[in-house]
Structures are given as C-alpha cells and as structure tokens.
Amino acid sequence: MIIVLRPDATSSQIDHIVEKTKEKGLTPFVTRGVERTIVGLIGDERILAAWDLENIPGVEKVLAVLKPFKLASLDFNPERTKIKIGRVIIGDTQVVVIAGPCAVESESQIIETAQKVKEAGAHMLRGGAFKPRTSPYSFQGLAEEGLKYLAKAREETGLPFVTEVMDTRDVALVNEYADVVQIGARNMQNFALLKEAGKYPRPVLLKRGLSNTMEELLMSAEYIMSEGNMQVMLCERGIRTFEKATRNTLDISAIPVLKDMTHLPIIVDPSHGGGKWKWVAPLSKAAIAAGCDGLIIEVHPNPEEAVSDGSQSLRPDKFQKVMEELKVIAEAIGRRL
Amino acid sequence: MIIVLRPDATSSQIDHIVEKTKEKGLTPFVTRGVERTIVGLIGDERILAAWDLENIPGVEKVLAVLKPFKLASLDFNPERTKIKIGRVIIGDTQVVVIAGPCAVESESQIIETAQKVKEAGAHMLRGGAFKPRTSPYSFQGLAEEGLKYLAKAREETGLPFVTEVMDTRDVALVNEYADVVQIGARNMQNFALLKEAGKYPRPVLLKRGLSNTMEELLMSAEYIMSEGNMQVMLCERGIRTFEKATRNTLDISAIPVLKDMTHLPIIVDPSHGGGKWKWVAPLSKAAIAAGCDGLIIEVHPNPEEAVSDGSQSLRPDKFQKVMEELKVIAEAIGRRL
Amino acid sequence: MIIVLRPDATSSQIDHIVEKTKEKGLTPFVTRGVERTIVGLIGDERILAAWDLENIPGVEKVLAVLKPFKLASLDFNPERTKIKIGRVIIGDTQVVVIAGPCAVESESQIIETAQKVKEAGAHMLRGGAFKPRTSPYSFQGLAEEGLKYLAKAREETGLPFVTEVMDTRDVALVNEYADVVQIGARNMQNFALLKEAGKYPRPVLLKRGLSNTMEELLMSAEYIMSEGNMQVMLCERGIRTFEKATRNTLDISAIPVLKDMTHLPIIVDPSHGGGKWKWVAPLSKAAIAAGCDGLIIEVHPNPEEAVSDGSQSLRPDKFQKVMEELKVIAEAIGRRL
Amino acid sequence: MIIVLRPDATSSQIDHIVEKTKEKGLTPFVTRGVERTIVGLIGDERILAAWDLENIPGVEKVLAVLKPFKLASLDFNPERTKIKIGRVIIGDTQVVVIAGPCAVESESQIIETAQKVKEAGAHMLRGGAFKPRTSPYSFQGLAEEGLKYLAKAREETGLPFVTEVMDTRDVALVNEYADVVQIGARNMQNFALLKEAGKYPRPVLLKRGLSNTMEELLMSAEYIMSEGNMQVMLCERGIRTFEKATRNTLDISAIPVLKDMTHLPIIVDPSHGGGKWKWVAPLSKAAIAAGCDGLIIEVHPNPEEAVSDGSQSLRPDKFQKVMEELKVIAEAIGRRL
C-alpha cells in the first residue's frame, strides 16, 4: 500500500503516519519526491481493510498494491477449479450448457422442457422456484413445490439442476433438492445469504450484480469460500449501462479478465445479457469464443405464455439449432459442447 | 399499453394479438399508421406484468402508459406521508437530521456519539449493528450486542435510532430494538427482506441501490407497502457512474423527481453520496435546497480509528459547524432544522 | 407517436393538442383509458423532431413509434451495404482485418509495421497522423507528414489505409491521402465534422462514442449519409461503464443489435475495447463469432516504446498468432479472414 | 509514479525497468514487499505521459502519484480565477446567472427574451447560433445571422452573451461577436476546437462531456490554457447514467470536488442537467447551495413553439419567480445573485 501525502503535509503528520503503520505491524518507508512525499507499506495490506488511511491528516490518497481477495485469487491458487456435478465437470475442456425456463410453472412444463433441452444436448437444467421479481404483483415462484417438480424432472431425464435461493431461511431447503445453488445478481452483495450458502456443501453459481465490478464479484465469492465452500462458479449476465437497446450490456471482456484474476470457472448468461431471444445465439457464440466454461440459457416450450422473461426465452426447436451452431464454435477453439 | 407491430406483421398475427389481449380482460384498439400498425390496450396494464407481449410474433416493441407501482404513487395517494417517530415527524416542515457512526463499535463510542450529535441538534441516531462489508475480512458488526448499545444510547439521550437489517432472520429482532429499520443499498432488491420488513410495524428507511432507477426504488417500496407497512421513507445515497473522483454520484435530481412520483418522504445520505467528510457540508446544503425531508450523516468521535467508513465521517465539532450552516439553508426555503 | 396525457388533463388541453397536431400535418386519434387518455398520431413523426410535445400543458409523456433515423435504417434499405476499397470488400463474407500502430511515428516504423501485418494476413493498414490525446502534453501526431508515410507504406505493401481526421479543416487533405477516413469516438457527435466528411467521396469509419447509444451512432451515420456519402461503416470500440478492470467495456451485443437496425457494416476495435494487448485475442474471437464484418487492431513493432497506447498494442509475432486463431473462428461460422 | 511488479517478475526485468526509468530522467527506488516488488519513481511523472509502462515485461500495474493537469490545478495556482465580462465578474461573490433560449430563432425572439431575462435579474444572455443536434433533420441554427441578432440583443439590453462554437473554422467569427465562447458537451474532447479557442482572447465556457470525468474536464481546460487563454470556466451539465427518469444526472458533487482540484470558476446548467423546466428551480437552488459560481438557464418566451429543447425551457414569468427563490439561497450562504 502506498500513501500519497498532500503537498502541505507536515513532518509531524508524516511521523504520525509512520508510527501508526508500525503499530499495525507493517513496515513503512518514506520517499520524498519533487512534488509529493509518499509512504510505502510492506506487509499484508489486507490487515488494513478496517482502517481508513485517507482520513489521517496530511494524507491525499491511498493506492493499493495487492488485490483484496485471496482464496478466489489465481495468485493464491494457480490451479483452475473444476466442479463435478454428477457426470458433468464445469471448468474442464467441455463447455457446459445449462438450459430451462426462467420459472418453474408446473410439473408438466418443467418435465417437458427438461426432456427437450436434454434432447438438444444440454447438460444441466435450470428453473426458478423462488423468483426475484421487480414487482410484488408479478409471479413469485412455486417455492418448495417448484423444487419438487425440478427433482422430478431430474429423475426423468438425469439432468442435474441449478435453482436460485433468495432467503437465508431457504438455503438448507434448496441444498436438499438442488445440485447447484444460484445466488442471483440482485443478491450478489446480500452478504448474509453468501455466508449461509458457504456453510452448505452444494456448489454455488454466483451471478454478477448489475453494477458490480469484477473485483466485487470476487469479493462476494470470497465470502462464500471463507465459510468453507470452495465450489463457486462465477456468472457474467450483463451489466447496467446507459444503452437502452438491450436489457443489459453483456460484458464479454469479463471472461478473459476474470480468467486472469481467478481460478474459478466462468459461466455466461446470454439470455439476461441481451434480454431478447434473438440475441442468444450471437452472444453465446461470442462467449464460447472468448473462453467461457459454460452457458446458462432460458428455454421455454411456449415463451408467449411464460409467466416471466418470455421475451428472452428460446423455443426448444430454436434452442436445438443454437446448440448445433455452438458445437462448431466450441470445436474451433479446441473444446467440446 | 401500446403494442407497436413490425412493418411485416401479418393480419393473422394482428388478429391473434387482439384476441389474446381480450382474453386478458383488456380492450384493444388497432390503428394503422403509414409505417407501422399499433394496438392500444385499455384497462389496467399492470395485470399484464406476467405476460411478455414482446415475445408474440409480429410485435416490435411495447410502450407502457401507466407506472408499474400503485401504493407508492402520488397519483394513488396525493396526500404526502408523514412518519412520526417519538416527537420527530419525517415528511413535515422540519428537515430531520439522523447522525451517528457507520458502525456501533462499543457502548461508550455510541453513547458518546449520541450525546455529541444531540448537542449539535440532531434529531435521531444512526449506527450499524449488522454491517454489509464488501470484504469478509472486514469488521461485520456487533449484532445484538450493538442493538443493545444503541438502545442504551437512546435511553441516555432520548434520540430514537435507525439501524440496518440484512437478514430476514433478524427482522423481528431489529424491530424489537430499533425505531426505524434500514434496508441498505445492496439489499434494495432483496425481495425476501423487503417482504419481511413489510410484515412488521417499524417504519423502514429504504436506500436506493447503486444502479437502481427511481422507478425500481418505488417498486421496492411497493413490496414493503403491499405487505401492510405504509411507513416507508426513501433514501438517495449516490449511484454508481464512471466518475472516479467521488465514491458515488449523488443524484440530487432524485429529490424533486421522486417528490413528483410519490408521496413518501425523501432522505439524503451525503456521507455515502460523496464518500469523503469534506463533501458532506456542500452536499447536505444542496439536498436541503432541493427539497429533501431529512439527512442521514456519519459522525464518529475519532474517524481515524473508525472500523468502517472513517474517511466519510465527520468529527463531532465539524458536524456541529455543518448543522449551523444547514439551519440557514432550511430557513431560507421556509423550513426548519 | 403516442402522447400520454396527465390524469388531470382538461378537455380544452386535449382539444388544443388535437388541433396542434393537425396543424403539423398529422392525424390524431384520441383514446380514453381508465386512468389515462392518450392521443395517437398517424404520419411521419420525424417531422416533429423540432417540436417539444412534452412541453404542452396536460402532457405527461411522449412515446415514439418510429426510429429517428432513415437512410441508415434496415427498414429503409433492406440490402446490406458493401464497401469496396481496392480489392477489399467490407460487409461481404470476408472478415476484414485492419491493423497497424496507434500513431504513425516515422516512415520506417509505419512501413515496417505495414509489411509485418501484411505478412500476417491483414487486409488494410491503420495509423494515426492526427491523434486525439487526453493530454495536451502527449504526442499529437505527425499531421501531413504522417499521411505521406502512410501513403508510402501503401505503395510498398499494397495495403489501403484508414486514418483519423479531427478537424473540419483537414477533411479535404485526409481525403486526398486516405482510403478510409476515420471519425473517432470523441468526435462521434462533432456534427460539423460529420457533415464535412459526408461531402467527400472516401468511405467513413465512424466510431461509437464512449457513452453513446446505438441509436445515436446511427443518427451520426445519418449526418454523413444525408450529405451524400453512403459508404459508412460503424465501429464498436467499447463504452464507458463503472468497471475499472478494463479501459472500456466492449459492447459485444452491439454487433447483432446493430445488424438488426441497419444495413451498414460493423467493425470492432478490440484494442480500445479492452485496453490491453492480452484481451485482443479473446475479444476478437468473440466479435467474429458474434458476426462482425471486420476488426481494427493495434500492432506496433515495439510496444514498449510506442508514443501512444503501447499497452494495448500487439507485437507483430503475437498478431500473427492471433490471426491464425481468428481464421479458425471465421471458418467455423462460414466466413473467411 | 509507482510501478507494481508481477509476483513472477525476474531480476533482469526489474533491472530493465530501473535502467529505462533512469534514461527518462527519473530516479527509481526499488522496494521488495512480501507479495510484490514495487519501483517508485521520483521526478515529474508527466514526462512519462507518452510512455506505456504497463507494457514492459514484468509490470502488473502503474499507480499515478501526481495529477496529469498543471495550469488548471489548484496546487499550481492557489488563487481562484476571476473572469471579468463587462461589469460582470465570474468567480467572485456574486452568483452569475446566464439566461436565454436554447437556439436563436429570430431577431424579435432573442431581443424579447433578452429584455425579459434582464428584467428578471439575469446578468448575461445565452442563445445558440450553431446548434449541435442529434438529428440532421432538426433545426441547425441561424449561424452568423444568429450572432448578429445576439449582438443586437446585447446592444438593446446591455447584456453580454455566450454562444456555442462547433467548428474550428468558426472560432474567429464567434470571437468577433460573442463575449464568451461556449464549447459544448459533445465537443469537450474535440481537441482541435479546444486548441483553436485557446488561441483567441474570449473567455471560454467549457461544458463537461456526457461521460467525462472531472479529471478529463480539467485536461480539456488544460488544452485551452496551454494555448495561452487562461479564462476558462467549467460547466457541469449532467452526466449520462442508467437512470431514465431524467435526461441526464446532474453531478452536484462536481461543484465542491472541482473547487478542490482547480482555481477555475464553476457554472451549472440545470436545464440540461434535469431536462425538464420543472426541475430547474430545485436543481438551481442545490447548485448555489453547493457553491457554484454561476448558472446557465434556458428561458424561452413560448417553449411550446421552441425549435429545440422546449421542454426544458422556462417561460419568462416562471424564470422571474425562480430568480427570486435563488436570491434567498445565495444570501443564505453569504453570496448575492
């Protein structure tokens, strides 16, 4: 950590800073430049997380040298994490496709969809039993009933499933049913939920918040991991920008940049990323080409009648066509679907 | 709601849309323009919240006529909401000032701060017992112990207090102690938490999320209100933009714009808004001049040693000076502090 | 265009609106809903561009039915534009690669780079003679001397070149030398420059501004086209968001979305999009997979010594490797490099 | 400047960096931490503007110690700049109000408006003769004819005027007529225009770009100043964010933050900031309370018929009422209108 002092910082202010940093167990070294004096600190700057250096008189700004996350860092663990779910391995050469409806609406709907996406080549099923909806007047999900239908669909098709949890009180329940527990974008910094999910064994699919940086995403992964659950996969699902032509702006650069920062696998959600079914194919191809480890795609047997996110859901026949296109891209970069 | 059709929409697609909207209980009317045909719908379009019109073949886009919130709307309830907490009324002519440390650190710290902010003229106390921190390695709050210290500080000074709740499992507990329950920016769309807070009697201070629109803020208020708790105050605390010189960008226009959309009182947080204690005075003056109903300001007896957000906390003596400056502005616009 | 009236709009206000719109040559039709009355307008709403309907008493908001651009619209011209530059055709099955240094630094530097990128398979050369730099103290480009060196490099290699123009006074000069004239992101809404470029025959590569919407990009293309120059190619080069890990956020969804809005070819700049040479390969692959018509990539023989944007420039040997990887992706989607 | 090395940086890479920085005339000092080695550089880091350190092998990131602007910096010139225009002084105790229509439409329109705003207490006139419009089909301004009408209005009322220039070829002309030359938001990084305006004597009102940081705004001021024209005033006019309820988000914190960075006066544009006439009063009050030196407000005798930006223009009678409200705020903070 580097502390840049104000041009008018006094000697006694500098002495105070030097003393304080020593108290915290760090080794300070002072360098006087032409326009500014700086104090460098040797030691693990993360122990300063709770200490606001910028508030000390004479300080102009503080520059971090180290990243604030550890368990999630590629420096800390240079071997890439692989997550095994049944016969599926996420983070290996295969690009894993998770598909299904936004919300579980009925037993027949989810079973039918599961069969269709399996036929098309999907490796896992998705479906929401607890739905985060902007409006309290929108469909809120079937709760445990939905989880039961998902388990039924898994039984029928063999597809493991991922489903979202929104309430700390439901984490145990969702862990009982699901193969992977999803924490949604709106809960990316619901720290109580992150900690709770970290106490249970199921792998977690953690979605990036609408306006969260990659560093914050990794800090949230760190919350889960610091409770003991190391099986975290990160999901880029579009960020919020000024652009209005798409629901969100899919941050495709997050794939290589995160790969450079962390050993955790990266999943991309092209359905929320673009917000319209017709952008799913090009965005999925782009995501595979950029190196993602998996995709999570919304498929609905009858999008027009979907209770949520119908306009970004693919029909099963279109999904099948997309899968064929994706296979070619995966192979072109030496992976497989 | 207005449905704009694609230039190549067929008659049978138009007929299908007309039929479908009738099924939903709405009255459609079709108008053929030079370049586009549109279908207007008469009726409460909110019943369509669960139906994705954009997914119907032939549809280009859908334009909303009505706002998606109801209980929070000024149209629905033209009388401004006043929230009474002890002798304090939020939403009336007085500009209410809530002050205190970011986190409760010890009994003496919170009591000392409460006394100091009371002397300076604050009307309520703030202090976090449950702390949402980006890093799992940062101080996470004293939990119930912190609530007890806050209650003690209230006893000593008579100041009612607001404190944050982050977990649905803690809502009952926080309701037992606090006068106002805060839902923080990172939980603005934690819908489970919103619903839970809506079931309890304490007024809720709801902070705007870092990248949430005013409409979404009102939808989150609607979640609380639709559970029966009508005592919601909205808090603008800065939004996330590309600008790096400030921690957030305080959206000062949110004050008059929200006043035009809703009857709920508007509080401003200049401490998080700017992220540095030296911006608190100018931003607070601006907020009062723009018509806010209250301010929530971070004050710490020794910001340099604060366990969180020290750099945006005012020392008690500076806070007192700020209060004097604010009084003048409040009076200039016909209100009082 | 749909005019939504306020709930308290009076009959005389409605009559006034009806009359006014008739004066403008449009056909109004009034529909009374349960909560709102609306006035729809039949006719070319673009004639209303200069008329602020929202300012008329009784009006709550105005919803557009048509897009505000015409010449650039796919509706208007459903045949995709192909731009021929020497033997290169942009907008056809080939994915065109434009490569070269950020700035022309010397005759030998640009000739050496041109030879190297040609060997690697690039189809066109890039290089800045007029450089838009954030700081007045940074290198500002060699001006006409740079154009001469570019022409020399073209002579030596046969590669046509694109170069930026920043000043209306230089448009004629740049047209004399260049094969394609670039208008940079910071000048996307420099309307005087757009008009001037539209009066000359050279094709224009128009870069999207840092915070401009796709619609605004098309409006800027419309400026060039409405002066008579129909040979415009659009360039996505990253937009500005809150994310700090990358210089910009490459908006990959702009490729399919623009393809749906316009017949103009789409070029992607992965060098500025990511801001670091190591993101060029994954972002380029993603862009091709998403359907772009070309790439513009920064290559410098010695990036460490580059006078500008060195950190996002590839060395020639790395560029060659990237080209091989891109070829495979292009072929996988049925195109060629 | 601090160079943070990668954990795997080799000794020879470190030696190379040390040597290179010495060549550039800086004094390097190397410090080895537990997890990272850093190289600090003593000397004016601005001489490195053209050198991309991040591209040197072994470098992880580079942290700046100094600000990149000099002439505009408060460090460099601690005395606040005052700009004298006739009897008006911008940057002194008076809060200066500049008012008038978005565009000059006719001689009578601008003269009538000038008289009305003068009566209401405005100190300067505004009006556009060259109009930057998103659409080529919108009114583009009266050009020199408009400048003549503005000069006529000045003659009639004694009000000096500010008007925008968009083309380097028009800078001399606008300097002949105008008292202050405006460079608009869309041209904030039109560096050719900045330089040209810097060569002429008229003070420049420089508007912040829609997505430009305060640092970039100051770099653009530096462009003007480095050509010799030190009379620059900065204008905050709203930035682009995800919020859709307002045209832009007025960054009120820019006022105190810029005051802390620069000696140049700060003007606020509440008309573009909010995008609706009804937000002008609250935003203007907020801006004065936050410490701005002036306001630039759109006033039109008949906003409904305005050729541009009618919905954000005040009628003269409303403007008069706003002025009275603003006077009270200015006096409350010890200034005058």
Side-chain angles (χ1 to χ4, degrees), chain D residues 115-132:
Chain D
Q115 285 164 336
K116 292 265 173 71
V117 301
K118 193 192 178 183
E119 275 167 38
H123 312 102
M124 280 182 68
L125 180 64
R126 61 151 290 157
F130 298 98
K131 294 302 309 165

Side-chain angles (χ1 to χ4, degrees), chain C residues 40-41 43 63 87 92 117 138 186 206 208 268 300-301 327:
Chain C
L41 302 181
L63 307 168
R87 279 168 307 181
D92 208 344
V117 301
S138 298
R186 284 166 184 79
L206 176 64
R208 181 180 180 183
V268 168
H300 193 284
K327 237 166 253 176

Side-chain angles (χ1 to χ4, degrees), chain C residues 16 20 49-52 54-57 71 132-138 140 166-169 186-187 189-192 195-196 210-213 216 219 222-223 226 240 276-277 303-311, chain D residues 16 20 49-52 54-57 71 132-138 140 166-169 186-187 189-192 195-196 210-213 216 219 222-223 226 240 276-277 303-311:
Chain C
H16 173 71
K20 279 280 176 186
W51 194 41
D52 277 295
E54 293 202 3
N55 215 37
I56 300 181
L71 302 174
R133 304 301 301 273
T134 307
S135 167
Y137 309 124
S138 298
Q140 307 277 317
M166 293 167 55
D167 192 326
T168 48
R169 295 172 299 190
R186 284 166 184 79
N187 283 312
Q189 292 193 317
N190 178 340
F191 302 116
K195 282 187 205 171
E196 194 69 11
L210 278 76
S211 72
N212 287 108
T213 62
E216 287 169 341
M219 292 306 290
E222 192 89 4
Y223 257 100
S226 65
R240 190 159 269 192
K276 251 197 178 141
W277 63 266
E304 197 181 306
E305 294 293 333
V307 298
S308 130
D309 282 347
S311 57
Chain D
H16 173 71
K20 278 281 176 186
W51 194 43
D52 276 294
E54 294 201 3
N55 215 37
I56 301 181
L71 302 174
R133 305 299 302 271
T134 308
S135 168
Y137 310 124
S138 298
Q140 307 277 318
M166 293 167 56
D167 192 327
T168 47
R169 296 172 298 190
R186 284 165 184 78
N187 282 313
Q189 292 193 317
N190 179 340
F191 301 115
K195 283 188 205 170
E196 193 69 12
L210 278 76
S211 73
N212 287 108
T213 63
E216 287 169 341
M219 291 306 290
E222 193 88 4
Y223 256 100
S226 64
R240 190 160 269 192
K276 251 197 176 141
W277 64 264
E304 197 181 307
E305 294 293 333
V307 297
S308 130
D309 282 347
S311 57

Side-chain angles (χ1 to χ4, degrees), chain A residues 51-305:
Chain A
W51 194 41
D52 277 295
L53 294 151
E54 294 202 1
N55 214 37
I56 300 181
V59 173
E60 183 170 293
K61 62 178 170 180
V62 176
L63 305 169
V65 169
L66 298 183
K67 296 194 185 78
F69 48 89
K70 214 163 187 174
L71 301 173
S73 164
L74 191 62
D75 289 353
F76 178 80
N77 178 10
E79 199 179 327
R80 301 220 170 260
T81 290
K82 292 175 187 178
I83 299 176
K84 209 172 166 311
I85 299 145
R87 280 169 304 182
V88 178
I89 302 174
I90 295 175
D92 207 345
T93 55
Q94 188 176 42
V95 178
V96 172
V97 178
I98 308 165
C102 182
V104 179
E105 294 167 18
S106 69
E107 189 177 319
S108 60
Q109 173 246 19
I110 191 68
I111 291 178
E112 184 195 337
T113 313
Q115 287 164 335
K116 293 265 174 71
V117 301
K118 193 193 178 180
E119 275 166 39
H123 313 103
M124 282 183 67
L125 180 64
R126 60 153 291 157
F130 298 99
K131 294 302 309 165
R133 303 301 301 273
T134 308
S135 168
Y137 309 124
S138 298
F139 176 65
Q140 307 276 316
L142 296 177
E144 188 168 4
E145 202 187 334
L147 297 174
K148 283 179 179 156
Y149 297 159
L150 281 161
K152 194 79 192 297
R154 173 174 55 200
E155 215 174 280
E156 298 274 332
T157 59
L159 293 182
F161 72 85
V162 55
T163 197
E164 181 164 355
V165 67
M166 292 168 55
D167 192 326
T168 49
R169 296 172 299 189
D170 297 325
V171 173
L173 180 76
V174 172
N175 257 268
E176 265 176 54
Y177 287 94
D179 300 284
V180 173
V181 172
Q182 178 180 315
I183 293 183
R186 284 166 184 76
N187 283 313
M188 192 202 93
Q189 291 193 317
N190 179 340
F191 302 115
L193 188 64
L194 296 171
K195 282 187 203 171
E196 195 68 11
K199 288 176 184 147
Y200 287 80
R202 298 285 171 220
V204 177
L205 186 149
L206 176 64
K207 289 191 147 190
R208 180 179 182 184
L210 279 76
S211 72
N212 288 108
T213 62
M214 299 183 216
E215 188 175 294
E216 286 169 342
L217 175 60
L218 290 168
M219 292 306 290
S220 288
E222 192 89 4
Y223 256 99
I224 299 167
M225 297 169 89
S226 64
E227 294 291 333
N229 185 345
M230 297 291 163
Q231 296 193 297
V232 179
M233 52 196 104
L234 306 171
C235 181
E236 163 60 33
R237 43 78 73 207
I239 57 172
R240 190 161 269 192
T241 70
F242 59 83
E243 177 59 65
K244 298 169 190 172
T246 44
R247 186 168 168 185
N248 296 293
T249 298
L250 186 74
D251 182 2
I252 201 80
S253 55
I255 302 167
V257 176
L258 284 171
K259 285 273 172 196
D260 202 56
M261 294 166 91
T262 183
H263 51 87
L264 299 171
I266 317 296
I267 308 295
V268 168
D269 177 345
S271 307
H272 284 86
K276 251 195 178 143
W277 63 265
K278 57 180 168 177
W279 315 137
V280 170
L283 295 181
S284 297
K285 286 187 236 176
I288 293 177
C292 75
D293 297 302
L295 293 164
I296 181 162
I297 298 177
E298 290 194 2
V299 177
H300 193 284
N302 187 5
E304 197 182 306
E305 294 293 334

Side-chain angles (χ1 to χ4, degrees), chain C residues 66-112:
Chain C
L66 298 182
K67 296 192 186 81
F69 48 88
K70 215 164 186 172
L71 302 174
S73 164
L74 191 61
D75 289 354
F76 178 79
N77 177 10
E79 199 180 327
R80 300 219 171 262
T81 290
K82 292 175 188 178
I83 299 176
K84 210 172 166 312
I85 299 144
R87 279 168 307 181
V88 178
I89 301 175
I90 295 175
D92 208 344
T93 54
Q94 189 176 43
V95 179
V96 173
V97 178
I98 307 166
C102 182
V104 179
E105 296 167 17
S106 68
E107 188 176 321
S108 61
Q109 173 246 21
I110 191 67
I111 291 178
E112 183 195 339

Side-chain angles (χ1 to χ4, degrees), chain D residues 49-209:
Chain D
W51 194 43
D52 276 294
L53 293 152
E54 294 201 3
N55 215 37
I56 301 181
V59 173
E60 184 171 295
K61 61 177 170 180
V62 176
L63 306 168
V65 169
L66 299 182
K67 295 193 186 77
F69 47 89
K70 216 164 185 173
L71 302 174
S73 164
L74 192 61
D75 289 353
F76 178 80
N77 177 9
E79 199 180 327
R80 301 220 170 261
T81 290
K82 292 177 188 177
I83 299 175
K84 210 170 167 310
I85 299 145
R87 278 167 308 181
V88 178
I89 302 174
I90 295 176
D92 207 347
T93 55
Q94 189 177 41
V95 178
V96 172
V97 178
I98 308 166
C102 182
V104 179
E105 295 167 17
S106 68
E107 187 177 322
S108 60
Q109 173 245 22
I110 191 67
I111 291 178
E112 184 194 337
T113 314
Q115 285 164 336
K116 292 265 173 71
V117 301
K118 193 192 178 183
E119 275 167 38
H123 312 102
M124 280 182 68
L125 180 64
R126 61 151 290 157
F130 298 98
K131 294 302 309 165
R133 305 299 302 271
T134 308
S135 168
Y137 310 124
S138 298
F139 176 65
Q140 307 277 318
L142 296 178
E144 188 168 3
E145 201 188 333
L147 297 175
K148 283 180 179 158
Y149 297 159
L150 282 161
K152 193 81 193 295
R154 175 177 53 200
E155 215 175 281
E156 299 275 331
T157 60
L159 293 182
F161 72 86
V162 55
T163 198
E164 182 164 356
V165 68
M166 293 167 56
D167 192 327
T168 47
R169 296 172 298 190
D170 298 325
V171 173
L173 180 76
V174 172
N175 256 269
E176 266 175 53
Y177 287 94
D179 299 283
V180 174
V181 172
Q182 178 181 314
I183 293 183
R186 284 165 184 78
N187 282 313
M188 192 202 93
Q189 292 193 317
N190 179 340
F191 301 115
L193 189 63
L194 296 171
K195 283 188 205 170
E196 193 69 12
K199 289 177 185 147
Y200 286 79
R202 298 284 169 220
V204 176
L205 186 149
L206 176 64
K207 289 192 146 189
R208 182 180 181 184

